[in-house]
Amino acid sequence: MKKNEIDQLIKKYHEGNTSEAEDRMLEEILMNDSSEEHISERKVMAFFTTERSAGLSAQFDSRFMKAIGKSPLRKSKMLMVWTIGIAASIAIFTVVVYLFNGYDRQVQNKTITTGLNERKEIQLPDGSTVFLNHKSAIRYDEDFEERKITLTGEAYFDVKSDKKNPFKINTLGSVTEVVGTSFNLMSNDENGVVELSVVKGSVTFSAYKDQLQERVFLSAGNQAVFDRKKNSMKKYEVSDPNILAWKTGLLVFDDSRIEEVALMLGRYFDHQVIVDNKALLNCHFNARFQKPSLSEVLDLLSFTMNIKSEIKGDTIKLYGNGCSQ
Amino acid sequence: MQLTEFKNKVYPLRHKVFRLAKWMLNHDEEAEDVAQEIMLKAWTMRDKLSSYKSIEALLITMTKNLCLDKIKTMRYSTSNILFLKIESTVPSQLERILSQEDETIIRQIVEELPEQQRLVIRLRSIEELSFDEVSEITGLTINNIRVTLSRARKTIHERYQKYMGNEKK
């Protein structure tokens, strides 16, 4: 959005005339802007968001469930009904707990999983396509009336446009909601991180954990990272051309720092890559691979920068004397 | 209304109810009790809920009234609201933008607004209710809400900018 358009929007905001959508857009723009210009608007918006983040804990839920479980559905004057009432209330309480935990629908659901080094392309009933990376899984209701999917691991989504029926993906306590677009979604159960990268169109990404309910709006070229452990949500411009490498087989390093190379190779080859010597952090790598083998990449690292490697089980150790600046 | 529908449409509103009660009563536990009471009321009238235009507006109005009753009978002190401790689960992106000091100052500025402006700002900017819903809760016309909102927003920014200007000197 151009500067004068933003100024117009802020003027409209001060006049009390912005719609809900415009308020959200303005919030989004100001939060991601670090200039001095709209600093007071930005801080006031941040204050509102902070106020909005206060919420109730899970204790409240159990208290509420107990309360509605105990209150009989119909009041009866007869004493005899009491025993039945108590039994019923226990039953109701059980049902309530059961339902609150989300086992409330008995529709057949379908689960598709991939093993090590196995990748699958899946056509969903609505015409959308999912490319599932290895060691991942998706689950959805067979009728797919609601376009809702649960994802474990990583997948690339090409979602068929349907404005009336948004497409939702649950993963690790986050929800990605789209209308029609393409994006990559990766969740890592071990470190509790969900990473969303948008290739085409726009996506709403929200995370729910404890009292944090954060929502970000992403368009093509944006990335959001939700960290469950740190309870944080961050938004970036995607500069990493290798996000889709697992799908395209194209691995590009353009003056990349060695930590980035290590991270990417770790992801691509499913190993843990450790940079063993700080001296290596000076090194920058330039290369382009099409479906490379691990040894191909390691050979080139050795050839160009004299970086040696050692593979032990799942771990690759990189070491050497480093590079001159 | 079945439990599943209640869970999806009504129960998520508990945080809003709690925040409004906390703000009005300046008391965490009392606010939690209010939230329980309101959610239970909503549960008992679950069969009638779908006939309301906005369940959100209904619950917020009920909360407002319940809190006003409580204030009348128990004479809660709302004077020290400025010194309320803030939640510690603020997302880190926000922390960078908003320091503790900023937050205290802005809170003070917002709380010093005339009562109607405070309420409208709270419902609209913090709880993100629609103009229709704010109108239903406050009884103001939409045009009136816009004017009130505009006055509040302008005052907040003027006062905050003035504060920042003083800080720099």
Side-chain angles (χ1 to χ4, degrees), chain A residues 99-122:
Chain A
L99 290 188
F100 259 79
N101 289 330
Y103 300 102
D104 41 354
R105 274 177 67 203
Q106 283 297 320
V107 177
Q108 291 279 12
N109 60 42
K110 200 167 176 172
T111 306
I112 297 163
T113 53
T114 49
L116 184 66
N117 291 324
E118 183 191 16
R119 286 169 184 93
K120 276 183 189 162
E121 183 178 335
I122 300 139

Side-chain angles (χ1 to χ4, degrees), chain A residues 13-14 16-17 20 23 40-41 43 51-52 54-56 60-61 63-64 68 99 104 211-212, chain B residues 3-4 11 14-15 19 33 36 43 46 87 91 97 102 107 122 124-126 146 150 153 157 160:
Chain A
Y13 167 80
H14 279 297
N17 289 329
E20 282 107 273
D23 279 351
S40 81
E41 281 85 0
K43 282 184 192 283
E51 285 288 286
R52 205 180 300 133
L56 289 155
F60 181 89
D61 298 344
R63 188 177 154 195
F64 180 72
I68 64 172
L99 290 188
D104 41 354
Q211 299 177 345
L212 171 78
Chain B
L3 183 59
T4 314
Y11 196 62
R14 68 193 182 285
H15 299 298
R19 285 193 294 263
D33 289 346
Q36 277 285 340
W43 172 249
R46 63 190 176 282
E87 306 288 322
I97 299 173
D102 291 331
R107 187 186 305 280
R122 183 146 280 272
R124 176 72 196 168
S125 287
I126 298 177
R146 288 188 196 278
S150 171
R153 281 175 178 168
H157 289 285
Y160 187 59

Side-chain angles (χ1 to χ4, degrees), chain A residues 50-108:
Chain A
T50 309
E51 285 288 286
R52 205 180 300 133
S53 70
L56 289 155
S57 65
Q59 250 178 338
F60 181 89
D61 298 344
S62 50
R63 188 177 154 195
F64 180 72
M65 278 186 264
K66 261 182 216 153
I68 64 172
K70 270 176 195 156
S71 69
L73 292 181
R74 277 184 208 89
K75 277 177 192 159
S76 167
K77 283 169 192 160
M78 281 192 294
L79 265 174
M80 264 180 57
V81 187
W82 264 101
T83 31
I84 303 167
I86 290 167
S89 75
I90 293 169
I92 290 166
F93 177 61
T94 319
V95 171
V96 164
V97 172
Y98 192 62
L99 290 188
F100 259 79
N101 289 330
Y103 300 102
D104 41 354
R105 274 177 67 203
Q106 283 297 320
V107 177
Q108 291 279 12

Side-chain angles (χ1 to χ4, degrees), chain A residues 167-181:
Chain A
F167 191 102
K168 289 180 191 170
I169 303 142
N170 280 292
T171 186
L172 273 186
S174 71
V175 182
T176 306
E177 196 173 329
V178 299
V179 176
T181 162

Side-chain angles (χ1 to χ4, degrees), chain A residues 74-264:
Chain A
R74 277 184 208 89
K75 277 177 192 159
S76 167
K77 283 169 192 160
M78 281 192 294
L79 265 174
M80 264 180 57
V81 187
W82 264 101
T83 31
I84 303 167
I86 290 167
S89 75
I90 293 169
I92 290 166
F93 177 61
T94 319
V95 171
V96 164
V97 172
Y98 192 62
L99 290 188
F100 259 79
N101 289 330
Y103 300 102
D104 41 354
R105 274 177 67 203
Q106 283 297 320
V107 177
Q108 291 279 12
N109 60 42
K110 200 167 176 172
T111 306
I112 297 163
T113 53
T114 49
L116 184 66
N117 291 324
E118 183 191 16
R119 286 169 184 93
K120 276 183 189 162
E121 183 178 335
I122 300 139
Q123 286 287 337
L124 295 172
D126 70 328
S128 302
T129 314
V130 183
F131 299 89
L132 199 58
N133 200 355
H134 76 154
K135 298 200 296 185
S136 301
I138 55 168
R139 200 182 66 229
Y140 56 92
D141 285 347
E142 210 144 41
D143 61 1
F144 215 59
E145 230 164 68
E146 249 185 300
R147 301 205 291 169
K148 221 163 88 182
I149 274 194
T150 308
L151 167 75
T152 323
E154 181 167 22
Y156 177 84
F157 290 87
D158 215 338
V159 174
K160 187 133 200 192
S161 178
D162 181 357
K163 287 210 164 97
K164 279 180 201 146
N165 192 0
F167 191 102
K168 289 180 191 170
I169 303 142
N170 280 292
T171 186
L172 273 186
S174 71
V175 182
T176 306
E177 196 173 329
V178 299
V179 176
T181 162
S182 307
F183 55 92
N184 192 67
L185 186 61
M186 187 203 74
S187 66
N188 186 328
D189 210 0
E190 258 161 59
N191 59 19
V193 169
V194 180
E195 194 185 287
L196 169 69
S197 315
V198 181
V199 177
K200 204 174 78 193
S202 55
V203 178
T204 310
F205 184 58
S206 32
Y208 297 91
K209 200 207 162 211
D210 300 337
Q211 299 177 345
L212 171 78
Q213 284 182 39
E214 248 208 290
R215 180 178 56 201
V216 290
F217 184 75
L218 304 174
S219 42
N222 290 154
Q223 184 180 61
V225 178
F226 167 54
D227 189 322
R228 229 160 94 140
K229 285 188 186 146
K230 289 187 197 141
N231 212 10
S232 75
M233 171 89 94
K234 283 180 186 147
K235 186 175 161 184
Y236 304 95
E237 297 284 314
V238 189
S239 52
D240 189 349
N242 293 324
I243 283 163
L244 294 179
W246 68 268
K247 180 175 165 271
T248 59
L250 182 68
L251 212 46
V252 181
F253 297 104
D254 184 14
D255 211 25
S256 309
R257 288 177 316 157
I258 210 73
E259 307 104 280
E260 292 168 34
V261 176
L263 192 75
M264 202 50 233

Side-chain angles (χ1 to χ4, degrees), chain B residues 52-75:
Chain B
Y52 287 89
K53 208 166 61 191
S54 160
I55 298 173
E56 206 163 331
L58 172 73
L59 293 197
I60 293 293
T61 309
M62 278 162 57
T63 308
K64 196 184 95 183
N65 293 337
L66 183 60
C67 289
L68 287 176
D69 282 352
K70 281 194 185 268
I71 290 167
K72 259 183 235 151
T73 52
M74 298 171 91
R75 280 210 245 139

Side-chain angles (χ1 to χ4, degrees), chain A residues 16, chain B residues 120-121 124-125 131 145-153:
Chain B
V120 170
I121 275 280
R124 176 72 196 168
S125 287
F131 280 109
I145 295 168
R146 288 188 196 278
V147 173
T148 311
L149 198 58
S150 171
R151 281 195 190 126
R153 281 175 178 168

